[in-house]
Amino acid sequence: MKLKRTLVLLFVFILSISMMLSGCSTDDGDKQDDTTDSVSADTQSKDMPSTKAKTEDEQAVLTDEVTIKILYPWGQDAFDKLFKDIDEKLPNIKIELVDSQAQLAPLQELNAKQIVPDIIYANWGIDALKELDMIEPLDELIESHQFDLSGIDPSIIAYWRLVDSEGRLLGMPTASDNYTMYYNKEVFDLFGVPYPAKDLTWDAMVDLAKKLTGERDGIQYHGLEMGPGFAGTEALVPLKQLNVNLTDPKTGEVLIMKEPAVTKYLELMKKFYSIPGIYSSDPEVRKDYSFQNKNVAMIVSWPGYIKWGIGDPEIAKNVQSVPVPVWPELPNVAPASFSHPFIINKYSEHKDEAFEVLTEYVSPEHQTKLARIGDRPVLTDPKVYEEFGAELEVYDGKDISAFFSREPAIPTTISKWDQYVDLSGSLLKFSESDMNIPEFLRVLQEESEAKIKDAMAKGQ
């Protein structure tokens, strides 16, 4: 009993001492906090990382936050319009701009500085990225993330598979380049011509352009414009609908004199160019678009032309749209769509997270937001199309379905040598010369063969 009583007294004593020590520890801790708060900012910045920075680092570890760097060339404001919503939607991913260009010299400079963009906007093409071996094909990521490509414009997907010798998908599309035809109702009314139908063929377009070309009240009106001076890239639309190569993909042989589709196309263009007054005779005027000056009845161009080419809602209110004209044997076929791709960098350490960003970019929700500000959607979802231009006054009252109603041609082969056949750059000369089509093609073929031979010698 005596031993038991002694043990109880000893336990009470130890407990009392422990409580006293605990109270002292608390007091000292409060004093230590006061001391820490009194450390100057200068001393803290020199000798230790800030408490705030440490907290952010700890938070990043806790949430597994990953920063995805995206190379994009047009500044923070434009970048935010494309990616801010994604940044907010993916809590584990922070998106950061690398303000640079996907060209050889800027890419080499970034590599030298060990700046590794995870995603690269390849609006200058992919040649520099291929040379630097910076392309990560998407197929394995598509499979591992179980991503469904079927909602994306198939002509774009087909193109970016054909670019690769192994048929791999090299990039995710950004915005779709497709075509429509705008017309100015005031010009049609002035000439007393009914507005164009939605199922126009190219031959019907020739007749319509004739009726709308002429002088009224001292002003020369032009029935149709397809690119500046009726000789720009848009003038190739009828040929693009025929979906042909200008060169042999394997040998580089120039095929323009053998390909019936090229002759067929030039015969159409000859009909247009033979209309007196269809384009201005002033070479300076031919360097720019004229439709916005209200002296052109129709223009074949991109849906975005009314935004960047006109801009003024007062002019745009008299403009309407119909689907791009077609060849009779291809009654609903538009040119294949094109899109500059987002490329995942082969050297990225965060490929899965980068792919998450890209899948969110082409999601219906995000594509709808982009469509509303006039970015051309890459999805084939009609609900996304219907929202196109909804936040821009220049699109008020426009027939938006005209932009997307045609089916794009699906490319089956592409040739890297086609870039050396400058057909669009030669149209100006063709429109103003008396050369017949075989003679024109012979000259263009000789010029193209020389360029291709030089490119092959340089290993391009």
PDB file of all heavy atoms in Angstrom, residues 4 15 19 45 120 122 135 140-141 157 163 178 190 222 240 251 265 268 281 304 314 335 357 366 398 405 421 452 456:
ATOM      1  N   LYS A   4       2.241   1.749  -3.378  1.00  0.00           N
ATOM      2  CA  LYS A   4       1.206   2.219  -4.304  1.00  0.00           C
ATOM      3  C   LYS A   4       0.960   3.709  -4.105  1.00  0.00           C
ATOM      4  O   LYS A   4       0.825   4.476  -5.068  1.00  0.00           O
ATOM      5  CB  LYS A   4      -0.077   1.429  -4.054  1.00  0.00           C
ATOM      6  CG  LYS A   4      -1.199   1.775  -5.029  1.00  0.00           C
ATOM      7  CD  LYS A   4      -2.375   0.858  -4.794  1.00  0.00           C
ATOM      8  CE  LYS A   4      -3.474   1.195  -5.797  1.00  0.00           C
ATOM      9  NZ  LYS A   4      -4.659   0.332  -5.617  1.00  0.00           N
ATOM     10  N   LEU A  15       2.892  15.032 -13.531  1.00  0.00           N
ATOM     11  CA  LEU A  15       1.829  15.686 -14.311  1.00  0.00           C
ATOM     12  C   LEU A  15       1.845  17.187 -14.095  1.00  0.00           C
ATOM     13  O   LEU A  15       1.682  17.984 -15.033  1.00  0.00           O
ATOM     14  CB  LEU A  15       0.470  15.092 -13.912  1.00  0.00           C
ATOM     15  CG  LEU A  15      -0.760  15.642 -14.646  1.00  0.00           C
ATOM     16  CD1 LEU A  15      -0.641  15.354 -16.140  1.00  0.00           C
ATOM     17  CD2 LEU A  15      -2.042  15.017 -14.095  1.00  0.00           C
ATOM     18  N   MET A  19       2.508  20.221 -16.987  1.00  0.00           N
ATOM     19  CA  MET A  19       1.580  21.319 -17.278  1.00  0.00           C
ATOM     20  C   MET A  19       2.283  22.665 -17.192  1.00  0.00           C
ATOM     21  O   MET A  19       2.049  23.571 -17.978  1.00  0.00           O
ATOM     22  CB  MET A  19       0.404  21.275 -16.300  1.00  0.00           C
ATOM     23  CG  MET A  19      -0.523  20.063 -16.519  1.00  0.00           C
ATOM     24  SD  MET A  19      -1.827  19.948 -15.288  1.00  0.00           S
ATOM     25  CE  MET A  19      -2.786  21.389 -15.723  1.00  0.00           C
ATOM     26  N   SER A  45      14.353  38.972 -47.624  1.00  0.00           N
ATOM     27  CA  SER A  45      14.572  38.733 -49.049  1.00  0.00           C
ATOM     28  C   SER A  45      15.992  38.290 -49.321  1.00  0.00           C
ATOM     29  O   SER A  45      16.251  37.563 -50.269  1.00  0.00           O
ATOM     30  CB  SER A  45      14.252  39.999 -49.848  1.00  0.00           C
ATOM     31  OG  SER A  45      15.131  41.036 -49.473  1.00  0.00           O
ATOM     32  N   ILE A 120       3.121  24.448 -78.957  1.00  0.00           N
ATOM     33  CA  ILE A 120       3.634  25.440 -79.912  1.00  0.00           C
ATOM     34  C   ILE A 120       2.574  25.703 -80.972  1.00  0.00           C
ATOM     35  O   ILE A 120       2.081  24.772 -81.618  1.00  0.00           O
ATOM     36  CB  ILE A 120       4.926  24.932 -80.584  1.00  0.00           C
ATOM     37  CG1 ILE A 120       6.011  24.722 -79.522  1.00  0.00           C
ATOM     38  CG2 ILE A 120       5.405  25.908 -81.653  1.00  0.00           C
ATOM     39  CD1 ILE A 120       7.213  23.942 -80.027  1.00  0.00           C
ATOM     40  N   ALA A 122       1.879  26.566 -84.406  1.00  0.00           N
ATOM     41  CA  ALA A 122       2.713  26.495 -85.613  1.00  0.00           C
ATOM     42  C   ALA A 122       2.062  27.220 -86.780  1.00  0.00           C
ATOM     43  O   ALA A 122       1.759  26.621 -87.814  1.00  0.00           O
ATOM     44  CB  ALA A 122       2.981  25.031 -85.968  1.00  0.00           C
ATOM     45  N   ILE A 135       8.548  17.711 -82.601  1.00  0.00           N
ATOM     46  CA  ILE A 135       7.141  17.340 -82.751  1.00  0.00           C
ATOM     47  C   ILE A 135       6.845  16.013 -82.057  1.00  0.00           C
ATOM     48  O   ILE A 135       7.502  15.006 -82.325  1.00  0.00           O
ATOM     49  CB  ILE A 135       6.737  17.245 -84.231  1.00  0.00           C
ATOM     50  CG1 ILE A 135       6.939  18.592 -84.926  1.00  0.00           C
ATOM     51  CG2 ILE A 135       5.291  16.790 -84.368  1.00  0.00           C
ATOM     52  CD1 ILE A 135       6.668  18.562 -86.416  1.00  0.00           C
ATOM     53  N   GLU A 140      -0.547   8.340 -79.488  1.00  0.00           N
ATOM     54  CA  GLU A 140      -0.475   7.623 -78.209  1.00  0.00           C
ATOM     55  C   GLU A 140      -1.243   8.371 -77.122  1.00  0.00           C
ATOM     56  O   GLU A 140      -1.899   7.763 -76.273  1.00  0.00           O
ATOM     57  CB  GLU A 140       0.986   7.428 -77.797  1.00  0.00           C
ATOM     58  CG  GLU A 140       1.732   6.427 -78.673  1.00  0.00           C
ATOM     59  CD  GLU A 140       3.139   6.164 -78.168  1.00  0.00           C
ATOM     60  OE1 GLU A 140       3.488   6.666 -77.075  1.00  0.00           O
ATOM     61  OE2 GLU A 140       3.898   5.468 -78.874  1.00  0.00           O
ATOM     62  N   LEU A 141      -1.167   9.698 -77.142  1.00  0.00           N
ATOM     63  CA  LEU A 141      -1.908  10.489 -76.165  1.00  0.00           C
ATOM     64  C   LEU A 141      -3.411  10.374 -76.400  1.00  0.00           C
ATOM     65  O   LEU A 141      -4.194  10.303 -75.443  1.00  0.00           O
ATOM     66  CB  LEU A 141      -1.470  11.949 -76.243  1.00  0.00           C
ATOM     67  CG  LEU A 141      -0.061  12.238 -75.704  1.00  0.00           C
ATOM     68  CD1 LEU A 141       0.422  13.609 -76.189  1.00  0.00           C
ATOM     69  CD2 LEU A 141      -0.043  12.171 -74.189  1.00  0.00           C
ATOM     70  N   ILE A 157      -8.121  16.814 -90.025  1.00  0.00           N
ATOM     71  CA  ILE A 157      -7.432  15.648 -89.462  1.00  0.00           C
ATOM     72  C   ILE A 157      -6.711  14.880 -90.560  1.00  0.00           C
ATOM     73  O   ILE A 157      -5.554  14.464 -90.399  1.00  0.00           O
ATOM     74  CB  ILE A 157      -8.435  14.728 -88.734  1.00  0.00           C
ATOM     75  CG1 ILE A 157      -9.082  15.467 -87.558  1.00  0.00           C
ATOM     76  CG2 ILE A 157      -7.748  13.457 -88.261  1.00  0.00           C
ATOM     77  CD1 ILE A 157      -8.119  15.934 -86.497  1.00  0.00           C
ATOM     78  N   VAL A 163       0.571  14.762 -93.807  1.00  0.00           N
ATOM     79  CA  VAL A 163       1.859  15.468 -93.718  1.00  0.00           C
ATOM     80  C   VAL A 163       2.946  14.542 -93.185  1.00  0.00           C
ATOM     81  O   VAL A 163       4.119  14.697 -93.529  1.00  0.00           O
ATOM     82  CB  VAL A 163       1.712  16.709 -92.811  1.00  0.00           C
ATOM     83  CG1 VAL A 163       3.064  17.287 -92.447  1.00  0.00           C
ATOM     84  CG2 VAL A 163       0.872  17.771 -93.521  1.00  0.00           C
ATOM     85  N   ASN A 178     -12.270  27.997 -93.847  1.00  0.00           N
ATOM     86  CA  ASN A 178     -13.219  27.559 -94.866  1.00  0.00           C
ATOM     87  C   ASN A 178     -13.718  28.802 -95.605  1.00  0.00           C
ATOM     88  O   ASN A 178     -13.238  29.905 -95.358  1.00  0.00           O
ATOM     89  CB  ASN A 178     -14.369  26.763 -94.250  1.00  0.00           C
ATOM     90  CG  ASN A 178     -15.132  27.576 -93.220  1.00  0.00           C
ATOM     91  OD1 ASN A 178     -14.583  28.436 -92.545  1.00  0.00           O
ATOM     92  ND2 ASN A 178     -16.428  27.312 -93.105  1.00  0.00           N
ATOM     93  N   LEU A 190     -29.145  48.129-107.108  1.00  0.00           N
ATOM     94  CA  LEU A 190     -28.800  49.166-108.082  1.00  0.00           C
ATOM     95  C   LEU A 190     -28.887  48.630-109.507  1.00  0.00           C
ATOM     96  O   LEU A 190     -29.356  49.330-110.419  1.00  0.00           O
ATOM     97  CB  LEU A 190     -27.392  49.686-107.794  1.00  0.00           C
ATOM     98  CG  LEU A 190     -26.848  50.783-108.712  1.00  0.00           C
ATOM     99  CD1 LEU A 190     -27.670  52.062-108.571  1.00  0.00           C
ATOM    100  CD2 LEU A 190     -25.377  51.064-108.409  1.00  0.00           C
ATOM    101  N   HIS A 222     -17.841  46.199-109.935  1.00  0.00           N
ATOM    102  CA  HIS A 222     -17.280  44.909-110.324  1.00  0.00           C
ATOM    103  C   HIS A 222     -18.186  43.806-109.783  1.00  0.00           C
ATOM    104  O   HIS A 222     -18.597  43.832-108.621  1.00  0.00           O
ATOM    105  CB  HIS A 222     -15.869  44.742-109.762  1.00  0.00           C
ATOM    106  CG  HIS A 222     -15.007  45.951-109.944  1.00  0.00           C
ATOM    107  ND1 HIS A 222     -14.500  46.333-111.176  1.00  0.00           N
ATOM    108  CD2 HIS A 222     -14.570  46.884-109.059  1.00  0.00           C
ATOM    109  CE1 HIS A 222     -13.789  47.436-111.035  1.00  0.00           C
ATOM    110  NE2 HIS A 222     -13.819  47.795-109.760  1.00  0.00           N
ATOM    111  N   LYS A 240      -9.439  24.138-105.539  1.00  0.00           N
ATOM    112  CA  LYS A 240      -9.353  23.386-104.282  1.00  0.00           C
ATOM    113  C   LYS A 240     -10.540  22.441-104.122  1.00  0.00           C
ATOM    114  O   LYS A 240     -10.412  21.366-103.518  1.00  0.00           O
ATOM    115  CB  LYS A 240      -9.291  24.348-103.097  1.00  0.00           C
ATOM    116  CG  LYS A 240      -7.979  25.123-103.002  1.00  0.00           C
ATOM    117  CD  LYS A 240      -8.009  26.089-101.822  1.00  0.00           C
ATOM    118  CE  LYS A 240      -6.705  26.864-101.705  1.00  0.00           C
ATOM    119  NZ  LYS A 240      -6.736  27.819-100.554  1.00  0.00           N
ATOM    120  N   THR A 251       8.054  12.040-106.556  1.00  0.00           N
ATOM    121  CA  THR A 251       9.138  12.431-107.458  1.00  0.00           C
ATOM    122  C   THR A 251       9.299  13.934-107.617  1.00  0.00           C
ATOM    123  O   THR A 251      10.340  14.406-108.066  1.00  0.00           O
ATOM    124  CB  THR A 251       8.903  11.818-108.849  1.00  0.00           C
ATOM    125  OG1 THR A 251       7.729  12.416-109.437  1.00  0.00           O
ATOM    126  CG2 THR A 251       8.720  10.308-108.758  1.00  0.00           C
ATOM    127  N   TYR A 265     -10.103  24.357-114.429  1.00  0.00           N
ATOM    128  CA  TYR A 265     -10.116  25.523-113.533  1.00  0.00           C
ATOM    129  C   TYR A 265      -9.711  26.790-114.283  1.00  0.00           C
ATOM    130  O   TYR A 265     -10.371  27.842-114.159  1.00  0.00           O
ATOM    131  CB  TYR A 265      -9.173  25.269-112.364  1.00  0.00           C
ATOM    132  CG  TYR A 265      -8.745  26.520-111.634  1.00  0.00           C
ATOM    133  CD1 TYR A 265      -9.627  27.231-110.829  1.00  0.00           C
ATOM    134  CD2 TYR A 265      -7.439  27.004-111.776  1.00  0.00           C
ATOM    135  CE1 TYR A 265      -9.234  28.391-110.175  1.00  0.00           C
ATOM    136  CE2 TYR A 265      -7.032  28.152-111.112  1.00  0.00           C
ATOM    137  CZ  TYR A 265      -7.933  28.842-110.324  1.00  0.00           C
ATOM    138  OH  TYR A 265      -7.530  29.989-109.686  1.00  0.00           O
ATOM    139  N   LEU A 268     -12.365  28.227-116.463  1.00  0.00           N
ATOM    140  CA  LEU A 268     -13.332  29.008-115.688  1.00  0.00           C
ATOM    141  C   LEU A 268     -12.784  30.405-115.409  1.00  0.00           C
ATOM    142  O   LEU A 268     -13.490  31.412-115.597  1.00  0.00           O
ATOM    143  CB  LEU A 268     -13.640  28.295-114.372  1.00  0.00           C
ATOM    144  CG  LEU A 268     -14.478  29.100-113.362  1.00  0.00           C
ATOM    145  CD1 LEU A 268     -15.902  29.292-113.877  1.00  0.00           C
ATOM    146  CD2 LEU A 268     -14.480  28.421-111.997  1.00  0.00           C
ATOM    147  N   SER A 281      -8.192  48.256-113.508  1.00  0.00           N
ATOM    148  CA  SER A 281      -6.973  48.260-114.339  1.00  0.00           C
ATOM    149  C   SER A 281      -5.797  48.900-113.619  1.00  0.00           C
ATOM    150  O   SER A 281      -4.664  48.826-114.087  1.00  0.00           O
ATOM    151  CB  SER A 281      -7.239  49.009-115.654  1.00  0.00           C
ATOM    152  OG  SER A 281      -7.652  50.348-115.381  1.00  0.00           O
ATOM    153  N   GLY A 304     -14.434  35.157 -91.810  1.00  0.00           N
ATOM    154  CA  GLY A 304     -13.884  36.244 -91.013  1.00  0.00           C
ATOM    155  C   GLY A 304     -13.647  37.526 -91.782  1.00  0.00           C
ATOM    156  O   GLY A 304     -13.343  38.563 -91.168  1.00  0.00           O
ATOM    157  N   GLU A 314     -22.116  49.555 -90.186  1.00  0.00           N
ATOM    158  CA  GLU A 314     -22.973  50.296 -91.117  1.00  0.00           C
ATOM    159  C   GLU A 314     -22.839  49.762 -92.543  1.00  0.00           C
ATOM    160  O   GLU A 314     -23.803  49.732 -93.298  1.00  0.00           O
ATOM    161  CB  GLU A 314     -22.627  51.786 -91.072  1.00  0.00           C
ATOM    162  CG  GLU A 314     -23.192  52.520 -89.878  1.00  0.00           C
ATOM    163  CD  GLU A 314     -24.715  52.436 -89.818  1.00  0.00           C
ATOM    164  OE1 GLU A 314     -25.376  52.767 -90.817  1.00  0.00           O
ATOM    165  OE2 GLU A 314     -25.245  52.014 -88.766  1.00  0.00           O
ATOM    166  N   PRO A 335     -13.880  23.402-100.586  1.00  0.00           N
ATOM    167  CA  PRO A 335     -12.467  23.022-100.439  1.00  0.00           C
ATOM    168  C   PRO A 335     -12.234  22.384 -99.075  1.00  0.00           C
ATOM    169  O   PRO A 335     -12.958  22.646 -98.101  1.00  0.00           O
ATOM    170  CB  PRO A 335     -11.737  24.359-100.538  1.00  0.00           C
ATOM    171  CG  PRO A 335     -12.662  25.267-101.266  1.00  0.00           C
ATOM    172  CD  PRO A 335     -14.042  24.837-100.860  1.00  0.00           C
ATOM    173  N   VAL A 357      -4.912  20.301 -72.094  1.00  0.00           N
ATOM    174  CA  VAL A 357      -5.196  21.668 -72.536  1.00  0.00           C
ATOM    175  C   VAL A 357      -5.757  21.642 -73.955  1.00  0.00           C
ATOM    176  O   VAL A 357      -6.747  22.331 -74.264  1.00  0.00           O
ATOM    177  CB  VAL A 357      -3.929  22.538 -72.470  1.00  0.00           C
ATOM    178  CG1 VAL A 357      -4.175  23.904 -73.118  1.00  0.00           C
ATOM    179  CG2 VAL A 357      -3.482  22.723 -71.022  1.00  0.00           C
ATOM    180  N   HIS A 366     -15.666  25.196 -75.185  1.00  0.00           N
ATOM    181  CA  HIS A 366     -14.664  26.223 -75.498  1.00  0.00           C
ATOM    182  C   HIS A 366     -14.779  26.685 -76.952  1.00  0.00           C
ATOM    183  O   HIS A 366     -14.635  27.877 -77.239  1.00  0.00           O
ATOM    184  CB  HIS A 366     -13.262  25.680 -75.230  1.00  0.00           C
ATOM    185  CG  HIS A 366     -12.200  26.723 -75.299  1.00  0.00           C
ATOM    186  ND1 HIS A 366     -12.089  27.740 -74.370  1.00  0.00           N
ATOM    187  CD2 HIS A 366     -11.207  26.952 -76.203  1.00  0.00           C
ATOM    188  CE1 HIS A 366     -11.074  28.523 -74.680  1.00  0.00           C
ATOM    189  NE2 HIS A 366     -10.533  28.072 -75.791  1.00  0.00           N
ATOM    190  N   LYS A 398     -26.799  37.972 -90.301  1.00  0.00           N
ATOM    191  CA  LYS A 398     -26.149  37.195 -91.363  1.00  0.00           C
ATOM    192  C   LYS A 398     -26.623  35.736 -91.335  1.00  0.00           C
ATOM    193  O   LYS A 398     -26.956  35.196 -90.275  1.00  0.00           O
ATOM    194  CB  LYS A 398     -24.627  37.247 -91.215  1.00  0.00           C
ATOM    195  CG  LYS A 398     -24.053  38.657 -91.235  1.00  0.00           C
ATOM    196  CD  LYS A 398     -24.338  39.349 -92.574  1.00  0.00           C
ATOM    197  CE  LYS A 398     -23.868  40.798 -92.556  1.00  0.00           C
ATOM    198  NZ  LYS A 398     -24.758  41.690 -91.778  1.00  0.00           N
ATOM    199  N   SER A 405     -22.318  25.113 -94.510  1.00  0.00           N
ATOM    200  CA  SER A 405     -23.273  24.146 -95.052  1.00  0.00           C
ATOM    201  C   SER A 405     -22.662  23.166 -96.049  1.00  0.00           C
ATOM    202  O   SER A 405     -23.228  22.097 -96.284  1.00  0.00           O
ATOM    203  CB  SER A 405     -24.443  24.881 -95.714  1.00  0.00           C
ATOM    204  OG  SER A 405     -23.979  25.708 -96.764  1.00  0.00           O
ATOM    205  N   VAL A 421       4.892  25.497-106.905  1.00  0.00           N
ATOM    206  CA  VAL A 421       4.083  25.838-108.084  1.00  0.00           C
ATOM    207  C   VAL A 421       3.218  27.033-107.695  1.00  0.00           C
ATOM    208  O   VAL A 421       2.151  26.875-107.100  1.00  0.00           O
ATOM    209  CB  VAL A 421       3.222  24.647-108.544  1.00  0.00           C
ATOM    210  CG1 VAL A 421       2.455  25.018-109.814  1.00  0.00           C
ATOM    211  CG2 VAL A 421       4.075  23.411-108.773  1.00  0.00           C
ATOM    212  N   ILE A 452      11.822  23.459-107.915  1.00  0.00           N
ATOM    213  CA  ILE A 452      11.849  22.138-107.271  1.00  0.00           C
ATOM    214  C   ILE A 452      13.243  21.520-107.376  1.00  0.00           C
ATOM    215  O   ILE A 452      13.753  20.930-106.414  1.00  0.00           O
ATOM    216  CB  ILE A 452      10.786  21.211-107.903  1.00  0.00           C
ATOM    217  CG1 ILE A 452       9.392  21.720-107.542  1.00  0.00           C
ATOM    218  CG2 ILE A 452      10.970  19.767-107.456  1.00  0.00           C
ATOM    219  CD1 ILE A 452       8.265  21.012-108.261  1.00  0.00           C
ATOM    220  N   MET A 456      15.447  20.443-104.172  1.00  0.00           N
ATOM    221  CA  MET A 456      15.976  19.088-104.008  1.00  0.00           C
ATOM    222  C   MET A 456      17.492  19.114-103.803  1.00  0.00           C
ATOM    223  O   MET A 456      18.042  18.361-102.993  1.00  0.00           O
ATOM    224  CB  MET A 456      15.626  18.234-105.229  1.00  0.00           C
ATOM    225  CG  MET A 456      14.160  17.840-105.313  1.00  0.00           C
ATOM    226  SD  MET A 456      13.820  16.827-106.792  1.00  0.00           S
ATOM    227  CE  MET A 456      12.162  16.273-106.459  1.00  0.00           C
TER     228      MET A 456
END
